[in-house]
């Protein structure tokens, strides 16, 4: 089993509410959902899609 490291993040109230609602619905830990989202973001299929996602988030 891999040792996990701690990461603290700050989310705005709306994003936290969405995360909590999804975690409750899926009976999953918020950290597991966040980890899956980060993995998905960092392993995008192609550079163009990744760039588009970053641009949307920055706007």
């Amino acid at each position: 089993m891999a040792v996990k490291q701690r990461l603290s993040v700050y989310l705005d109230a709306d994003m936290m509410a969405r995360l909590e609602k999804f975690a409750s619905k899926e009976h999953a830990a918020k950290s597991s959902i966040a980890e899956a989202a980060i993995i998905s973001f960092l392993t995008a299929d192609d550079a163009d899609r990744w760039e588009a996602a970053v641009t949307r988030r920055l706007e």
Side-chain angles (χ1 to χ4, degrees), residues 29-50:
K30 291 180 284 189
S31 60
S32 296
I33 296 166
E35 182 178 29
I38 292 167
I39 289 169
S40 176
F41 182 81
L42 294 177
T43 57
D45 291 320
D46 57 41
D48 292 337
R49 203 171 90 194
W50 183 84

Side-chain angles (χ1 to χ4, degrees), residues 4-9 31 34 38:
K4 295 200 175 205
Q5 296 184 6
R6 183 179 189 91
L7 170 68
S8 295
V9 297
S31 60
I38 292 167

